[in-house]
Amino acid sequence: MTPETTSFTELVAQGPIAVAFATLVSGFLVSLTPCVYPMIAVTVSIFGARESTSRRQSALLSAVFVLGIVCMFAPLGVVAAMTGKAFGSVLSNAWVVVGISSLFLLMAASMFGAFDLDLPTGLKNKLATVGGGGLPGAFVLGLVCGPIAAPCTGPFLTGILAWIAQTQSAPLGALVMATFALGLGIPFFFVGTFAMQLPKSGRWMIHVKSILGIVLCVVALYFLTSAFPVLGKLGVTTVGWMSAAAAAAVLGVVLGAVHRSFESGTGFERGAKGVGLLLTVGGAFALLQGQLKAESALTWQVDKSGAVGTVAALEVAREQAKAEGRPLLVDFTAAWCAACKELEKLTFADAAVQAEAGRFIAAKVDATDDEVAGVEDTMQQFKVAGLPTVVLFDSTGAEVRRFTDFVPAVQFLEALKETR
């Protein structure tokens, strides 16, 4: 996630290159925080890049060190993605969502300087000397770099890993975490390879932490929308509302959301930062919700009570498709599924897709809570392993295509046209 006013769901739609670039930038920003930045020169000296006899050797040592960072972070992304279904099921519980969001807000408070999250000094010193010198030492030191930098990487990584769990894509999870690690390792590589002198530590690092803290607050609110749909009503797409949200975010920055600190200064400065944070976070969240809001969608089958997304509605759709000899579109979705929201906004809302889908009987199954009667059995019947899952059946009832991730409108339209 770069977690800015545009979401990872939008970035995924633009392709893996956009996701990689966003997480690379995120990792680089984390490297500029007070937990990581001061240790760059020291760490480079420990694995021997400064004492190397040639630029090539320095570059090799630095690259192996960064490889160690990547090898530590990338598996976290894979694990998060592979446990995504379990994570998503847990998110159907409002109390769990509140707990996770509270954790994000707590970590954001740490970024804002309310308190420090840190490892004991003795343990950090022990970790910093692990591995010895040479290439093996540089690699091992890269592996333990994460725990050393935990006070700043930990809060931000929590949000990224939670988002990866929603995507349930192991390749995407590995990509996101690997590029995050590369971004984190950029300063180490250049300092180690070119013996660069870094700018002195200063107040600017507090600004970086504030930016990351704002991101965590927006992520916390985003998660709360799955338990409290009323928050989604902030996703108004009118020009006036979006302009007001942008103005609030900018005003918050001017008041001190980024450049002021809770740790020092007068009561006025702390108050200005607090108000600035409320305006910036609120404005950024409203902009995010506006970006995610779908302007229109397919016409979904309803059950006898008029409800959409139920197993009963799916059964009505199947019977109607069979009786009328029409193709059937079934969408398994959930409130916590980020890729499902991408499909709703970017694919199902496409005018050409809607026109072609008019031939279909379309039904969705809301699997946000798989303990609802019939949901789990229906998912097993349709062999749904994860979300999203969109299945196309032809007029004879035979399965033609199945999509288990976000699919662009153009590709989905072709699949609709091929289904008769």
Side-chain angles (χ1 to χ4, degrees), residues 331-348:
D331 173 35
F332 289 86
T333 184
W336 48 261
C337 173
C340 300
K341 294 180 180 179
E342 294 172 56
L343 284 168
E344 187 75 19
K345 177 178 175 62
L346 303 174
T347 302
F348 296 159

Side-chain angles (χ1 to χ4, degrees), residues 129-155:
T129 57
V130 170
L135 295 179
F139 180 77
V140 174
L141 187 58
L143 288 175
V144 300
C145 181
I148 296 173
C152 285
T153 60

Side-chain angles (χ1 to χ4, degrees), residues 23-24 26-28 66-74 157 175-188:
T23 49
L24 185 75
S26 299
F28 179 71
V66 175
L67 178 63
I69 300 177
V70 173
C71 289
M72 186 198 71
F73 281 111
L157 280 178
L175 172 68
V176 167
M177 295 305 295
T179 52
F180 176 85
L182 286 174
L184 185 65
I186 285 174
F188 292 91

